[in-house]
Amino acid sequence: MFGLFPLIAFGFGSPLMLWGLAAGSIPILIHLLHRRRYQTVPWAAMRFLLAATKKQSRRLKLEQLLLLLVRTMIVVCLALALARPTAETLGQYFQSEGPKHRIIVIDATLSMGSTTTGRTRFDRARELARQIVAGSRQGDAINLVRISESTPHVIIARPAYQSMAVIEEIEQLLLYDERVDASMVLKEVQDLLSLAPEIRRKEVYLITDLQASTWAPANSVEASRIRETLKTIGSRSQVVWLDVGDSNASNTAVTGLRIDNDFVLSGRPVRVSASLKNFSSIGASNQLVELMVDGQLTDTKRADLPAGQEVSVDFSPTFSDGEHRLNVRIAPDTLPVDDVRSLVIPVRSELQVLLINGKPSGEPMGNSTDFLKLALAPELPNRAFSSPMRPTVIRESELLGSDLSRYDCVFACNIAMFTEREAEVLRSYLESGGGVVFCLGDQVRPDNYNQILHAEKQPILPARLIERTGDPRKKDVAFTFDPGEFNHPILQPFAGNANAGLELTKTFVYVKAEVDADRGAEVALGFSSGDPAIVDAPYGRGRVVLVTTSVDREWSTWAVWGHSLIPLMHETVNYAVSGRWKDRDVLVGQPLQCHVGLRATDTPAVLHLPNGDTKQLQPSADGRTITSEPTATSGFHKIVLGPPANRTDWFAVNVDTQESDLTSLQSEDLRTELMPGIEFRYLTEWEEAAASNGEQVRVISTGTGFSRSLLFAAMALLLVEQLMAWNFVAGASLLLAFAMGSLTLNAYRWDSWIGAGLASVIAISLVALALKFRPVLRSG
């Protein structure tokens, strides 16, 4: 019989308050202390009075006992209400109906911009969030969280009890072109569960399209963090997944855009390659691909996009001098934000190269920079060759007085010593994206280089200088270059060209160097002895190149064997300046950064966003760098620098292509992969009362629903007690009416016919009991 009833487990929110149950004995003590004491006095006439008293004794005892019970129950109900009793049950009648702490989490990543039936997924998510808030009851506390890279993730950090205030925040939520590590946001959701401790029923609503790249990322560490955090959240709350995605959604995106070189020379064609990928299961043919330059349509192509594959489309535009904004776009689809990809292309008619001469000489071709200047800009009147390099030679003493920002690359040739101030100038130049090439020679003092340029805190040189190898006077031992597999970008033009003369160049003297492999330095070219000849390493946005021998005729045959010196120095310059524009192409979520140099400590800077908004930017403490907040939208951004810099830097901000794959998880994936062994609800539409598809709902054993019922019972008993003390029959009738009314109003919440049958049995028993004692109550 008892198996028919729901299983109930009771608990109490405030066990200390149970001491209040002792107050229930107070009416009993008062009753016992105030019992009438009498003495027996024999009297003949009392025989008739005693007979009448005995006749009414049963009624009087019953009235007093029932009145005592009512008074005791008033105190007991108040004590239990303050103790906040709870119940965990599989039956809905005993579920707590007290306040809830609801944490609403809305996915605001790029994939939520996918449009179906005229609305984006993000619009649907906000509508579901509004329905949840509107369905909340008085006393419910609500937190609002968004899944995004942009901060803050927690929009409503303190639990809100006013529904309208929460709805206003939902209306103001914006969708960003971001991808995010969902585990970071879930960790903040986990922390929110500790808020509002007085409300012990917790519910977390995850409104998302369940995109696989967000919830089941390829990064195993990130995926593990997501599963562990969801496990913790599920153990402390009821988790409700609201899926706004579409398992049949298709998408095509421009996933890549690049050029062959890091910079482009004006008037010369350049190959622009765009990568297109079809993420759907159905192929697309004859798709239009457009090339836009500075907002103008420049060229169009047609391409077939097989299902699930990536193809490349090439263009060959030419550009004039300056910075150009280039993007490639395809026809808009359900996710239009990834149908375009942008690139900022710096176009130069020539490269300015500064040559610092460390060994002046009055002889023709006697300076350390003479041969290098000729190699960068050969004077060949009889040949159709025009070099883009424009070298400028200065003396060593002029370094501090020169504005290095005017130059794309700096060569320090055979300089004996550097000062701390000169090293600081070079560091600033490298951080802004410049390239510095150190060419050694007989004037160089390795101890000074190691102390100033290879300092432990901010080493500029990519290697520590050790000692000189070889005799420049005898030249009895010669070393040749060992290019290895020609893998380094500087050597790639020599690959497969045996007549370039690189292997035939002889070197008689060089400085041994110990390469700093731990800071990313690598050997571009080696000697036959195994020692490095050219070493390079990144520094800030720029790049440092170390040539361990000289570029004149003192230590090597380079100067007289120009077949190798000319192409090698050109490739060295091209490689050294490649970092000058590398930060102009970033992903959404990364900040924008520009360098203004030592002299521009008070430079005003304004960031212009694609939507036309502007933001004031502040330089760093040393005034060299201006950095924006992490970007949130794709498109072209620009930073306008005021005086003394007076320049404009354009930036291309593109979306992360992982968000372009709209493949989503299903409810079964949640059970087996994301939340195995953890009970949750999975819905596609908001349902307040029950889980979708008949799924079993786990009710967390928290809440204060019994407290409210007990307070109502105490108020009713107070009214009954007053009426019973005045007229017992009327008071008993009112008590019976309260009992019948309570059972009738709550019977609909009981499980099926069992609850209804139990209510009927109790009601009939109370009526029968009243009828049985009716003669007694009316007798006397």
Side-chain angles (χ1 to χ4, degrees), residues 389-597:
M389 311 291 178
R390 290 296 177 265
T392 300
V393 180
I394 64 172
R395 294 188 300 272
E396 176 185 351
S397 59
E398 299 177 83
L399 172 58
L400 293 179
S402 301
D403 183 8
L404 299 189
S405 63
R406 295 173 45 213
Y407 300 95
D408 301 295
C409 186
V410 174
F411 277 79
C413 302
N414 201 8
I415 296 177
M417 300 174 59
F418 284 90
T419 65
E420 289 285 359
R421 178 60 178 164
E422 291 172 336
E424 188 65 20
V425 170
L426 293 178
R427 287 191 181 94
S428 177
Y429 176 68
L430 285 165
E431 288 173 353
S432 66
V436 177
V437 182
F438 292 95
C439 299
L440 305 184
D442 58 351
Q443 302 292 317
V444 171
R445 294 180 53 178
D447 56 343
N448 173 266
Y449 275 56
N450 291 333
Q451 180 181 356
I452 303 300
L453 301 178
H454 198 259
E456 293 183 2
K457 292 184 178 180
Q458 291 179 305
I460 296 178
L461 285 180
R464 187 176 69 88
L465 303 184
I466 301 176
E467 61 182 2
R468 185 186 300 180
T469 298
D471 190 338
R473 293 187 298 269
K474 294 183 180 180
K475 299 182 180 180
D476 52 347
V477 178
F479 306 93
T480 58
F481 289 133
D482 180 10
E485 300 296 327
F486 297 92
N487 293 326
H488 196 276
I490 293 178
L491 303 182
Q492 286 180 358
F494 293 91
N497 190 355
N499 298 321
L502 183 63
E503 295 93 332
L504 302 178
T505 301
K506 292 184 179 181
T507 300
F508 304 104
V509 183
Y510 66 89
V511 178
K512 284 188 176 182
E514 183 179 332
V515 179
D516 296 338
D518 56 341
R519 55 173 286 217
E522 61 176 330
V523 177
L525 179 65
F527 287 115
S528 55
S529 61
D531 292 323
I534 299 179
V535 186
D536 86 278
Y539 190 101
R541 295 174 63 203
R543 186 163 290 275
V544 183
V545 178
L546 171 64
V547 181
T548 61
T549 187
S550 68
V551 291
D552 55 23
R553 55 189 175 187
E554 296 292 331
W555 285 7
S556 174
T557 62
W558 264 7
V560 296
W561 188 258
H563 291 82
S564 62
L565 182 65
I566 293 175
L568 193 62
M569 289 300 102
H570 278 251
E571 294 302 325
T572 300
V573 171
N574 292 339
Y575 182 69
V577 303
S578 61
R580 202 168 184 82
W581 300 280
K582 68 178 182 181
D583 289 343
R584 300 296 186 88
D585 182 15
V586 301
L587 293 178
V588 173
Q590 297 176 341
L592 309 179
Q593 189 177 75
C594 62
H595 296 259
V596 293

Side-chain angles (χ1 to χ4, degrees), residues 300-314:
T300 60
K301 294 287 183 68
R302 293 281 179 174
D304 294 331
L305 304 178
Q309 296 187 25
E310 189 173 57
V311 299
S312 179
V313 177
D314 294 338

Side-chain angles (χ1 to χ4, degrees), residues 170-185:
I170 293 174
E171 295 293 341
Q172 295 176 15
L173 286 179
L174 298 177
L175 179 64
Y176 297 107
D177 303 338
E178 302 172 327
R179 184 192 176 274
V180 67
D181 180 355
S183 64
M184 298 188 303
V185 182

